[in-house]
């Protein structure tokens, strides 16, 4: 089922901390990306056609931006969706399908809930501020909202414009618009309070 993202964390809010296992076997905290000017944190997964349609766009951003860490977070730890398993994440990294700076497993789904994530993909652009990170832009990657759509510009052109403004020290003037994707597959009892707004 497709869902549109919600604004739960407003622009300027402190980015919630995390410590998550990566598909490369390392453990990552948000502080581990403090050498970057920004982090593009994208809640995504392995199986969702909306998420898969953005693999190449995110790989391209990870390759093109030295000062931005592109970090995927998979919150779909649900036994009903075995293709979203940690083992499958490792396979996608090892075969080069996913080439982000890190691909992390939100095993207890707490990080997705902390950020107010709803769908895959659900991108958050975080900027370095006051020794940590804050939310700078929460929006879609581009205007190709359905898996078979082509964007009207280069892949992820809206997010790229926001990133370029952030890195230049300029205000982000791109309008924030909801992302669209498969709903996050919450385990019973893990649905956050805001889920009732969807």
């Amino acid at each position: 089922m497709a869902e549109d993202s919600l604004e739960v964390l407003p622009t300027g809010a402190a980015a919630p901390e995390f410590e998550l296992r990566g598909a490369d076997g390392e453990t990552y905290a948000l502080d581990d990306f403090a050498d970057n000017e920004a982090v593009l944190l994208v809640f995504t997964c392995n199986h969702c056609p909306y998420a898969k349609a953005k693999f190449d766009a995110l790989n391209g951003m990870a390759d093109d931006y030295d000062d931005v860490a592109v970090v995927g977070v998979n919150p779909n730890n649900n036994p009903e969706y075995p293709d979203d398993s940690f083992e499958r994440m490792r396979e996608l990294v090892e075969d080069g399908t996913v080439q982000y700076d890190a691909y992390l497993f939100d095993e207890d789904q707490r990080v997705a809930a902390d950020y107010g994530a709803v769908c895959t993909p659900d991108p958050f652009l975080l900027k370095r501020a006051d020794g940590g990170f804050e939310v700078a832009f929460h929006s879609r990657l581009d205007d190709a909202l359905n898996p078979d759509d082509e964007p009207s510009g280069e892949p992820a052109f809206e997010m790229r414009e926001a990133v370029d403004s952030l890195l230049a020290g300029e205000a982000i003037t791109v309008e924030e618009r909801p992302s669209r994707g498969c709903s996050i597959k919450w385990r019973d009892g893990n649905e956050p309070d805001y889920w009732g707004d969807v």
Side-chain angles (χ1 to χ4, degrees):
M1 182 173 67
E3 300 286 359
D4 289 354
S5 59
L6 298 172
E7 182 182 313
V8 175
L9 281 181
T11 299
E17 299 289 339
F18 57 77
E19 189 168 305
L20 297 173
R21 180 170 50 143
D24 60 359
E26 301 294 326
T27 298
Y28 291 85
L30 186 55
D31 287 347
D32 290 327
F33 304 103
D35 289 342
N36 296 276
E37 290 296 321
V39 173
L40 178 57
L41 190 74
V42 184
F43 291 91
T44 184
C45 67
N46 307 328
H47 92 279
C48 166
Y50 295 85
K52 291 165 70 172
K54 300 302 184 186
F55 283 168
D56 287 345
L58 292 171
N59 290 341
M61 290 192 71
D63 189 51
D64 290 344
Y65 289 100
D66 293 333
D67 292 331
V68 180
V70 175
V71 179
V73 177
N74 175 14
N76 283 354
N77 182 21
N78 188 319
E80 295 182 21
Y81 296 87
D83 201 36
D84 280 332
S85 68
F86 181 73
E87 292 72 23
R88 180 62 179 149
M89 289 172 61
R90 294 183 65 178
E91 291 173 1
L92 292 177
V93 169
E94 289 170 0
D95 70 14
T97 301
V98 169
Q99 300 171 29
Y100 316 151
D101 295 289
Y103 191 21
L104 312 180
F105 192 41
D106 186 10
E107 197 159 1
D108 61 11
Q109 304 184 308
R110 186 175 306 167
V111 178
D114 285 348
Y115 276 83
V118 167
C119 56
T120 54
D122 200 345
F124 293 76
L125 180 61
L126 313 177
K127 70 175 181 179
R128 194 171 60 193
D130 298 327
F133 287 91
E134 66 181 40
V135 177
F137 185 67
H138 175 209
S139 188
R140 64 194 190 183
L141 296 172
D142 55 42
D143 59 359
L145 292 180
N146 298 304
D148 294 330
D149 292 349
E150 292 292 332
S152 60
E154 68 175 317
F157 72 93
E158 292 178 354
M159 187 60 69
R160 284 175 176 269
E161 184 177 338
V163 167
D164 291 342
S165 295
L166 187 155
L167 294 179
E170 300 169 353
I172 295 174
T173 58
V174 184
E175 182 181 347
E176 290 190 350
R177 296 180 173 93
S179 185
R180 181 177 299 158
C182 301
S183 60
I184 289 175
K185 309 310 180 193
W186 304 102
R187 297 194 307 279
D188 287 345
N190 273 13
E191 299 89 346
D193 291 343
Y194 63 80
W195 190 244
D197 297 330
V198 174

